[in-house]
């Protein structure tokens, strides 16, 4: 089937971006070299639903070079980069993605990817996996398994497993150490702030930043905002994580209290209705709201619309809402993940590890998938360690290895 992209003429600019990303993803390149030499995916079909920017295109091209038939769509209406999609569509990958897709177009694009009858799914948010289940058993027969990139996707697929509805194995790539410790924390920490800075061109130093959620993403965002000179307040529902945030030097309070003192609000919970009308009505004039969680449900845009008397797009990624009280609130990227909508997503070195995890997990599924139970499983530890070793090597760093005596000591129990 022909690709559907915004404008094929954009391909040259997308190609330059893809090659820049590839040059900064040496771990994935190493895996890809082996994949292309052995054509390990020959005869297989890989269906992908990921944020379609340059690093993602590198992964898709690597599956293609490994012999697979590949189809891809974007996993968020605002994260697809049209020039990258155009360049990717020239390679033989089937691309169904453009920035600004409607809900209906998105569903249709997901269905187009599934119509390739993929046997391996690479998902970010679980939409490809869940849609395959909802389409009925005929669609599930050929699927060996799926690899899931993000926390929200893993949470949903675990809920499906718990309900007895999951019909193929899923590897939770998100839960690999070489993913969440780096991608979710340092990746979103950097790219989240980059998105905010690009969108607003405002100073973070001296601002009071409220970070909702102190999971891996929230930790990264809070740490980086502190490093930029912001006074950071964290909101949480988990007492252990709240305590951890407090001992890291952040202030802790409920959102109801933080709402009145924050200058910039960043949601990172993966949950819904984190900032609603009751918070918005007490916010300072000119407070800024944005989200780095997977879905646009954390800041209630519906509430913002309801309590406003008008809105204006004041910069490409900034909408000014004029409240009935006369105060103004600024929403970035329509409440969608600001690091991908207003910037380019995580840095390449970080996605190098996350996508190495995707590539190796997909290969693991090819080899072992038919023997695995229909459960959400972890990335095998050996793969995780291998990715870390290669990434250290790429940084030009060496580490020690245990001596025989140390290994024996570590395994002994006698006093
Ligand atoms: P996590 O589960 O580790 O952390 C979420 C935290 O939010 C938890 O500590 C939880 O207690 C807290 N929380 C839940 N409800 C809350 C509420 N009402 N108020 C305050 N805190 C609340 O998840 P994570 O890995 O940090 O991921 C968070 C979200 O970010 C997910 O949607 C994930 O898919 C997404 N994500 C986005 C990117 C990106 O590039 N933007 C990257 C990685 C993950
Ligand atoms: N680039 C591609 N996929 C991404 C993701 N899940 N998070 C951040 N940047 C990305």
């Amino acid at each position: 089937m022909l690709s559907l992209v915004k404008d094929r003429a954009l391909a040259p600019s997308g190609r330059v971006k893809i090659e820049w990303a590839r040059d900064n993803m040496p771990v994935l390149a190493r895996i890809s070299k082996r994949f292309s030499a052995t054509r390990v995916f020959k005869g297989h079909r890989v269906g992908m639903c990921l944020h379609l920017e340059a690093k993602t295109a590198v992964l898709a091209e690597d599956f293609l070079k490994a012999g697979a038939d590949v189809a891809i769509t974007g996993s968020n209406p605002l994260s697809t980069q049209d020039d990258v999609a155009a360049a990717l569509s020239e390679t033989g990958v089937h691309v169904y993605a453009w920035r600004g897709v409607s809900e209906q177009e998105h569903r249709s694009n997901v269905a187009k990817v599934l119509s390739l009858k993929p046997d391996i799914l690479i998902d970010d948010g679980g939409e490809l996996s869940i849609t395959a289940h909802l389409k009925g058993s005929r669609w599930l027969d050929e699927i060996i398994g799926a690899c899931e990139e993000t926390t929200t996707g893993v949470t949903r697929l675990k809920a499906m497993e718990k309900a007895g509805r999951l019909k193929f194995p899923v590897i939770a790539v998100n839960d690999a150490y070489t993913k969440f410790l780096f991608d979710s924390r340092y990746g979103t920490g950097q790219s989240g702030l980059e998105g905010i800075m690009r969108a607003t061109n405002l100073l973070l130093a001296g601002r009071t930043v409220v970070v909702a959620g102190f999971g891996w993403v929230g930790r990264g965002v809070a740490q980086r905002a502190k490093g930029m000179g912001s006074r950071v307040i964290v909101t949480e529902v988990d007492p252990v994580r709240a305590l951890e945030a407090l001992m890291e030097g952040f202030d802790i309070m409920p959102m109801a209290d933080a709402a009145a003192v924050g200058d910039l609000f960043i949601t990172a919970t993966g949950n819904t209705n984190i900032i609603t009308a009751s918070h918005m009505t007490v916010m300072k004039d000119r407070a800024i709201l944005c989200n780095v969680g997977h879905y646009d449900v954390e800041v209630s845009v519906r509430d913002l619309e309801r309590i406003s008397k008008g809105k204006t797009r004041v910069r490409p990624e900034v909408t000014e809402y004029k409240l009935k009280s006369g105060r103004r609130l600024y929403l970035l990227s329509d409440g969608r993940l600001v690091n991908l909508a207003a910037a380019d997503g995580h840095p390449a070195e970080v996605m190098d590890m996350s996508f190495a995890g995707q590539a190796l997990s997909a290969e693991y599924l090819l080899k072992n998938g038919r023997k695995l139970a229909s459960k959400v499983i972890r990335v095998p530890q050996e793969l995780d360690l291998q990715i870390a070793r290669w990434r250290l090597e790429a940084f030009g760093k060496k580490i020690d290895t245990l001596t025989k005596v140390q290994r024996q000591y570590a395994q002994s129990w006698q006093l």
Side-chain angles (χ1 to χ4, degrees), residues 21-32 53 55-56 58-59 62 149 173 178-179 182-183 346-360 387-388 390-395:
R22 191 192 311 283
D23 285 347
N24 287 288
M25 300 175 82
V27 176
L28 186 59
R30 191 169 183 152
I31 296 165
S32 175
E53 50 89 8
K55 281 90 75 183
T56 312
V58 174
L59 179 67
D62 286 352
E149 172 77 12
V173 174
T178 48
K179 199 282 184 183
F182 303 95
D183 167 309
H346 296 339
E349 297 93 329
V350 163
M351 292 317 293
D352 191 23
M353 283 193 278
S354 310
F355 284 166
Q358 287 283 9
L360 292 179
I387 294 167
W390 285 338
R391 190 59 239 176
L392 276 170
E393 217 177 294
F395 279 128

Side-chain angles (χ1 to χ4, degrees), residues 11 67 90 186 202 238 271 290 323 328 357-358 368 384 402 405:
E90 288 187 334
Y186 305 118
L202 293 174
D238 178 327
N271 212 322
C290 67
L323 304 201
R328 292 150 296 171
Q358 287 283 9
N368 306 287
D384 215 358
L402 289 173
V405 172

Side-chain angles (χ1 to χ4, degrees), residues 277 280-283 285 302-311 320-329:
M280 293 164 184
T281 45
V282 298
M283 282 180 183
D285 183 32
R302 189 181 299 164
D303 278 11
L304 198 46
E305 299 271 347
R306 183 168 54 77
I307 63 170
S308 299
K309 57 184 178 190
K311 63 175 179 184
E320 178 186 86
Y321 284 84
K322 211 164 237 156
L323 304 201
K324 289 168 190 156
S325 65
R327 288 187 212 175
R328 292 150 296 171
L329 296 181

